[in-house]
Amino acid sequence: LCQKGVLLTNGRRDIQGPIDDVSDKYLCQSKNIASKIIFNEDNAPGCKNIKIRSVYFINENGDEISVTYINQKFGLCVEYEVLQEIDNFTHGINAFNSAGIHLFTSHNNIEYKKGTTAKGFYKTTAWIPDNLLQPDNITFSFACMRYEPFEVLFHEMDLVKIEVLDVIDTLTRNNHYKAILPGLIRPYITWDYSQKQVL
């Protein structure tokens, strides 16, 4: 019903603007999810053989970030420990927007750890392509699983979030249109144009 809104934090105006922007920020704040998390021995999620030690985001230079732009590629890094030798597993992520809508799932398509993975510390990075996401607060989950037969070893929801900001000059919009582009995702789509000859 409202076109504009105001979000108050501790009695002070935090954000004022279009109601969708204000409600998105409110929903994201209510989840209280950070852009980086480090676990200790007592609270590390996972399963009996694998424990997550830290989760964070990086840019293409390897710098840790909490904010990115829709036209920038970024990486979701998960550092984990294999506590004892384990056979045949891989990784997966899920991405959700601030309304809790499941945007996409991705499984590690490079390496399926057939055979035994030794005890030790490991890091995997899922690279999210540029020109894909809408401006929003995007939350990620992380899972480890096996195939043949399929078995989820663990799946941790709402681990970290990153704020994706809009850019006016980007491949995903026409430069003559500056307003909001609706939709769940905003991929870069190529267009061909030609005039059909009329006889």
Side-chain angles (χ1 to χ4, degrees):
L1 297 176
C2 300
Q3 299 299 314
K4 294 186 177 181
V6 177
L7 175 62
L8 301 177
T9 303
N10 297 323
R12 302 182 75 180
R13 186 175 66 204
D14 187 356
I15 183 175
Q16 178 177 347
I19 193 65
D20 288 342
D21 294 347
V22 175
S23 60
D24 286 350
K25 183 161 186 182
Y26 170 75
L27 289 170
C28 196
Q29 282 182 346
S30 66
K31 287 185 176 181
N32 197 25
I33 303 169
S35 60
K36 179 178 182 177
I37 187 165
I38 299 173
F39 297 102
N40 59 40
E41 297 288 336
D42 298 327
N43 69 353
C47 61
K48 66 178 184 178
N49 294 329
I50 305 169
K51 294 291 183 183
I52 298 175
R53 295 303 178 203
S54 65
V55 188
Y56 53 94
F57 298 98
I58 60 172
N59 61 21
E60 288 189 273
N61 296 324
D63 303 317
E64 289 188 20
I65 58 172
S66 60
V67 175
T68 190
Y69 292 95
I70 62 171
N71 61 349
Q72 292 179 334
K73 173 182 176 180
F74 66 93
L76 169 64
C77 301
V78 181
E79 297 182 3
Y80 61 92
E81 182 180 4
V82 174
L83 302 175
Q84 50 188 320
E85 290 185 348
I86 184 170
D87 294 333
N88 302 348
F89 76 94
T90 192
H91 324 98
I93 61 168
N94 296 289
F96 302 85
N97 68 11
S98 58
I101 297 172
H102 188 176
L103 298 176
F104 66 85
T105 297
S106 178
H107 288 192
N108 185 333
N109 61 354
I110 295 175
E111 182 179 3
Y112 180 53
K113 298 179 182 299
K114 286 195 170 181
T116 301
T117 299
K119 289 173 62 174
F121 292 89
Y122 297 85
K123 174 182 169 182
T124 186
T125 304
W127 287 101
I128 313 304
D130 55 354
N131 299 309
L132 171 68
L133 298 171
Q134 286 279 32
D136 199 353
N137 286 287
I138 308 297
T139 303
F140 287 87
S141 69
F142 178 76
C144 283
M145 73 285 292
R146 289 188 175 116
Y147 304 133
E148 302 170 358
F150 184 73
E151 175 191 5
V152 176
L153 301 176
F154 66 88
H155 186 187
E156 294 298 326
M157 298 293 293
D158 297 334
L159 275 175
V160 287
K161 72 176 177 192
I162 189 167
E163 185 176 5
V164 180
L165 302 177
D166 204 350
V167 179
I168 295 299
D169 296 321
T170 176
L171 296 173
T172 61
R173 71 162 70 240
N174 186 301
N175 285 335
H176 299 285
Y177 183 78
K178 309 300 185 188
I180 293 172
L181 290 167
L184 293 178
I185 59 173
R186 198 158 118 194
Y188 171 50
I189 296 174
T190 58
W191 289 68
D192 287 328
Y193 176 76
S194 62
Q195 182 177 5
K196 190 172 181 180
Q197 187 174 8
V198 179
L199 298 177

